[in-house]
Amino acid sequence: NRNTTPRIERFAAPAGILAGVHNHARLDPNEFARPEDFEMAMRGNRHIRINLDIGHLGAAGYDPIPFIDQHHAHIIALDIKDRRRDQTIVPFGEGDSKVAEVLRLLRDKRYAIPAMIEYEYQDADAVAEVQRCFDYCTKSVARGGTYPPGVCRR
């Protein structure tokens, strides 16, 4: 929560490490959900960075593309999942998180930000479903290749 960032900074600074704060979709005064929450956390805290969950950001009503473009230098990791604005977590390509667009932004702007598949929805075969997510990501960044919505699903 936002109240912990000064304490995290006090431990991160002498250790010489960066600490990434993670967002959720819950709009609460002490949660990380809105772009200004991250900006406030980093203000005056040189070791606080962003571990951005694009699914939660989109579900909270914010577009990940301009946020990543503006804050890419402070993002240490991206959690990639697809969600709808109604909070439902769905297979890649079926939600509002702009998964393919985010990955192409990283590719086109050469932002060196690790992007991790975060598999959270239920399916009978989790290993096969993560492979579908990986295939979706790979196809999304292939030159000339795009997946239409829903292709990740069987």
Side-chain angles (χ1 to χ4, degrees), residues 12-147:
I17 62 172
L18 299 176
V21 294
H22 180 75
N23 60 309
H24 290 101
R26 188 172 149 221
L27 296 172
D28 179 272
N30 199 32
E31 293 283 333
F32 296 101
R34 303 165 302 164
E36 54 267 26
D37 297 332
F38 286 114
E39 292 163 1
M40 182 179 293
M42 291 187 296
R43 194 172 304 129
N45 296 311
R46 296 181 314 122
H47 295 84
I48 300 294
R49 295 294 186 270
I50 301 166
N51 175 17
L52 184 67
D53 187 313
I54 67 167
H56 290 319
L57 191 70
Y62 298 94
D63 187 337
I65 302 295
F67 184 85
I68 293 168
D69 231 2
Q70 182 179 358
H71 297 285
H72 63 90
H74 295 104
I75 298 172
I76 60 172
L78 290 176
D79 289 354
I80 305 294
K81 73 165 150 267
D82 211 352
R83 289 183 75 172
R84 293 189 181 123
R85 289 228 185 328
D86 69 2
Q87 308 292 321
T88 306
I89 300 171
V90 295
F92 285 18
E94 294 181 17
D96 302 310
S97 300
K98 298 185 175 182
V99 172
E101 293 90 334
V102 164
L103 294 172
R104 285 193 293 269
L105 175 72
L106 298 180
R107 178 199 66 199
D108 295 346
K109 298 271 182 115
R110 297 178 184 241
Y111 294 151
I113 304 169
M116 298 165 283
I117 293 170
E118 186 173 353
Y119 173 73
E120 287 190 357
Y121 57 92
Q122 299 301 313
D123 194 79
D125 186 346
V127 173
E129 201 61 21
V130 171
Q131 182 64 53
R132 278 187 204 82
C133 293
F134 179 78
D135 293 344
Y136 180 91
C137 293
T138 302
K139 180 72 172 176
S140 295
V141 295
R143 291 290 177 190
T146 59
Y147 262 119

